[in-house]
Amino acid sequence: MDDRSHTGSFDSTLITPKWPVSGGASGSTVNLGHQTHYRHEAGQSAQVLVSYNGGTPTVVTSYTADAVARSESLTLRVPAGATDVQVRFRYSGAHNWYWTVDNVTLG
């Protein structure tokens, strides 16, 4: 049960600053790390998206079940010629559970 009456759904995206990367001629990889505490319920979604050089964000992972007090490490493939990356943490749902993200690193 929700803690407050409402209509519609909740949709929020946390966006990092742009980080410099070097895709080189054949591309490369970088590691995206973060702490996650996600409580899942049907009808909601949590996604990590990345965009390079201001391009369209693409999903690199989605959470479809609880991910409680967990460290995440995602390998990102940097396209050739990329000079920056921006990460988005997007949560949408019906105002019942939650997602917390902390200690975001790129290396």
Side-chain angles (χ1 to χ4, degrees):
M1 176 189 269
D2 292 345
D3 58 356
R4 188 173 187 172
S5 64
H6 65 280
T7 58
S9 61
F10 178 81
D11 194 328
S12 181
T13 303
L14 175 66
I15 304 172
T16 69
K18 291 181 179 180
W19 278 310
V21 292
S22 177
S26 61
S28 62
T29 61
V30 294
N31 185 42
L32 172 65
H34 66 280
Q35 297 292 119
T36 186
H37 192 91
Y38 174 65
R39 293 297 310 264
H40 183 74
E41 182 176 77
Q44 72 183 31
S45 66
Q47 302 172 314
V48 179
L49 304 96
V50 297
S51 62
Y52 297 95
N53 296 347
T56 302
T58 58
V59 176
V60 293
T61 195
S62 295
Y63 293 93
T64 57
D66 287 355
V68 178
R70 196 160 86 185
S71 294
E72 295 289 337
S73 179
L74 303 171
T75 301
L76 305 179
R77 301 217 177 275
V78 180
T83 57
D84 65 61
V85 63
Q86 195 166 38
V87 181
R88 290 167 169 78
F89 298 91
R90 181 175 182 210
Y91 172 84
S92 64
H95 185 66
N96 197 28
W97 284 108
Y98 56 88
W99 186 23
T100 62
V101 175
D102 198 9
N103 296 327
V104 179
T105 61
L106 188 72

